[in-house]
Structure formats: structure tokens, C-alpha cells
Amino acid sequence: MSYDLIKVQQKGRVGIITLNRPKQLNALSPELMQQLGAALQAYDADEGVGAIVITGNEKAFAAGADIAAMKDYSYMAAFLADYITRDWEHIRRIRKPVIAAVAGYALGGGNELAMMCDIVIAAENARFGQPEVNLGVMPGAGGTQRLPRAVGKAKAMDVCLTARMMDAQEAERAGLVSRIVPLEKLMDEALAVAEKIAGCSLPVVMMIKESINRAYESTLAEGVLFERRLFHSQFALADQKEGMAAFLEKRKPTFKHR
Ligand code: DAK
């Protein structure tokens, strides 16, 4: 697939996807989401890639789904076509870690996209919100579900019902964001995180992601059992032998991702 609404670039073992509709503040049109899905799937299938970064520009990560593209939708058309859902689901199936590097606005579907990533790193000017209520609709890509899990019910209600934006500091305090960095350092930091992850054993990294996500879908006892079974399976990895031998031999491990 050729891309005109995103840019893709690979640095070492890191795949970088830059949303690229700057005039529309990276509004997430169906075409953009299709291209994003295709790029994510390509990196996920590429053995040479160990982590993926999604970013926007200094003003906007993404200001939401494209309002112009959806304003004339009818209920029947949205229901029958399962309104753009397919292209919003791709990211949930990506098995490698995905890092959102957020500067500027992450609103509506933009915030929902960030929340579908595994780690959110924010620039100091980042602003997060679910302003759909101002448009006469509610969040439609997980905002009412992932936001309360990330920041708790009180803040999720506040943000979704009043359309108020959280700044980077508040989002970090609330647990939506893992780190805040100066705007000019955003990509350096996101790449450093991605490179660190991509240098580790790929199957181990994928299992950590799967296991943490399991925490949201199961009871504690089931989640802990799931984690234990994955942990046991890691004694079958060459990377486990290498990682532990390297520690004891006081050298850096060379992982084969096997
Ligand atoms: N869609 C389309 N165009 C947008 C846009 C958006 N979400 N956000 C901004 N733009 C466009 C503006 O129309 C403007 O275009 P021109 O007038 O220049 O042609 C250009 O980007 C620059 O925007 P502004 O002039 O408004 O810039 P300001 O700096 O003054 O304001 C702003 C920045 C971010 C505060 C403002 O643009 C704004 O409030 N934007 C809308 C934010 C918003 O309401 N977002 C939520 C959208 S609804 C689903 C999946 C996803 C969704 C639903 C269902 N399924 C899978 C079922 C998601 C829904 C949404 O996200």
C-alpha cells in the first residue's frame, strides 16, 4: 500500500509512523486509519522490527476522527458498515509494543488512539480530551472504557461529560501518560524507549505485552496463572539462556529473538 496520509520510517529495529494531515490537525479519516492499520501490520510482521512509535506533529498528535467525513452519516449506514470500526481495531491486534509520542492535541479518537498504544510519552504541550459531547455524540472508539481504566471513574466522567482537556501534567498524574518530556526531546525520548525495547528478546517483550493486557480482561488469579504459564514457557527460549549467562559472565547479552 502506498501512503500519503502517514509517513513511515525505520530506524534500526524501530518502526516510526508519523500521522501526516497537518492542515486538519491529523484528523483521523477512514483513509488515514486504513493506512495506519496497514503500516502497523507491516511492522508487526517484519522480524527486523521490535517496537513501533506513532507520532504526529508539534501542534497535534490527532484532533480526533475526521468530523467532515462523518457528519452526514446515517444510523443505518454506520450500523451496516460497522462505521470504520475495522480500521480502528487493527492496532489492538498488533503484538509488538506500540509507543505513542504525543505533542499538542490528542482529542476524541486521537486520545483513543493514544490509549490503544502500550506506552504514552507526552511533550509538555500535550493536551488530552474527549470533546465529543460538544458535537452531540459520545466517544466511539473506547473513550468511555479505556479512559476510566487509565485515570479512574471520576476523572473519566469529568473529561467525557465536560469536554475539558487534561494537560500533560494532569494526564501523567492520573496515569494516562508514563513520561513527560520537553517538546524538543519528544522523539529522542520515544526512540530511546523504543530502541531499549527493540533490543530485548522479541518473544519476551511480546509476552510481557500480552500478559499486562490480560490484567484488564481477567481476574487477578487468572491473570497471575496466565503470567506464570508464560514465564514457564520462557525457559524454552535461547534468549533466556543467553540473558542469564550474560549476566553471570558480566557481559552484554546478544539476543536472537528466539
Ligand atoms: N475533524 C476534521 N477537521 C478538523 C478536526 C477534526 N476532528 N479538528 C480540527 N480540524 C480542522 C479544522 O476544521 C480546521 O480546518 P480549516 O478550517 O483550516 O479547513 C483545521 O483543522 C485547524 O483547526 P482549528 O482552526 O479549529 O484550530 P484551532 O487551533 O483553533 O483549534 C482544536 C484546535 C483542536 C481545539 C479544534 O480544532 C477542535 O476543537 N477540533 C475538534 C476536536 C474534536 O471535537 N475532536 C473529536 C472528534 S469526534 C469510532 C472511532 C472514532 C470516533 C468515533 C467512532 N468508531 C470506530 C465507531 C471518534 C470520534 C471523534 O474523535
Side-chain angles (χ1 to χ4, degrees):
M1 179 180 245
S2 67
Y3 305 124
D4 59 341
L5 303 173
I6 60 171
K7 288 184 192 162
V8 294
Q9 184 193 2
Q10 192 174 331
K11 277 197 177 163
R13 286 180 51 77
V14 177
I16 305 164
I17 303 173
T18 305
L19 308 178
N20 190 30
R21 288 186 83 202
K23 285 195 185 125
Q24 294 83 11
L25 305 185
N26 289 333
L28 303 167
S29 62
E31 297 76 19
L32 186 154
M33 291 309 290
Q34 234 172 2
Q35 293 181 19
L36 175 62
L40 283 166
Q41 284 170 339
Y43 281 141
D44 209 32
D46 183 343
E47 288 219 8
V49 169
I52 303 164
V53 175
I54 302 179
T55 195
N57 57 52
E58 292 189 0
K59 180 156 187 200
F61 177 70
D66 190 326
I67 299 166
M70 70 180 152
K71 80 174 185 10
D72 292 328
Y73 248 68
S74 68
Y75 164 73
M76 217 57 255
F79 178 77
L80 289 177
D82 202 8
Y83 170 59
I84 59 174
T85 298
R86 188 194 50 227
D87 293 322
W88 284 79
E89 299 283 301
H90 293 312
I91 186 163
R92 285 184 46 226
R93 286 190 285 272
I94 300 304
R95 298 179 69 204
K96 293 173 184 168
V98 183
I99 295 155
V102 177
Y105 296 111
L107 301 178
N111 188 41
E112 292 170 319
L113 174 62
M115 289 192 292
M116 285 185 238
C117 296
D118 303 304
I119 298 175
V120 181
I121 299 178
E124 280 163 348
N125 74 339
R127 307 191 71 191
F128 301 85
Q130 297 290 157
E132 290 90 340
V133 71
N134 286 342
L135 301 171
V137 291
M138 63 186 283
T144 65
Q145 303 305 303
R146 290 193 181 92
L147 195 59
R149 283 169 166 83
V151 305
K153 175 180 165 182
K155 230 177 241 300
M157 286 283 187
D158 182 355
V159 165
C160 292
L161 290 173
T162 70
R164 140 177 120 71
M165 294 182 208
M166 288 187 283
D167 64 19
Q169 299 289 342
E170 183 181 2
E172 200 256 346
R173 274 197 312 275
L176 185 63
V177 157
S178 73
R179 317 180 180 192
I180 305 173
V181 291
L183 177 58
E184 63 279 8
K185 300 244 170 71
L186 178 65
M187 276 316 280
D188 288 347
E189 185 80 4
L191 284 174
V193 170
E195 277 159 14
K196 165 68 195 170
I197 294 169
C200 297
S201 167
L202 181 59
V204 171
V205 158
M206 290 167 70
M207 286 187 211
I208 291 172
K209 169 169 173 165
E210 208 170 307
S211 195
I212 290 179
N213 282 334
R214 196 64 170 237
Y216 290 96
E217 317 282 347
S218 58
T219 63
L220 181 60
E222 281 169 12
V224 169
L225 180 62
F226 181 77
E227 179 192 75
R228 184 149 316 138
R229 294 295 174 245
L230 286 182
F231 181 83
H232 289 162
S233 76
Q234 293 182 349
F235 288 109
L237 294 174
D239 287 343
Q240 174 268 325
K241 300 287 177 284
E242 166 64 8
M244 294 191 181
F247 174 80
L248 294 172
E249 291 160 21
K250 303 192 187 305
R251 61 175 173 82
K252 278 188 83 174
T254 307
F255 292 122
K256 299 237 163 38
H257 310 295
R258 287 287 179 274

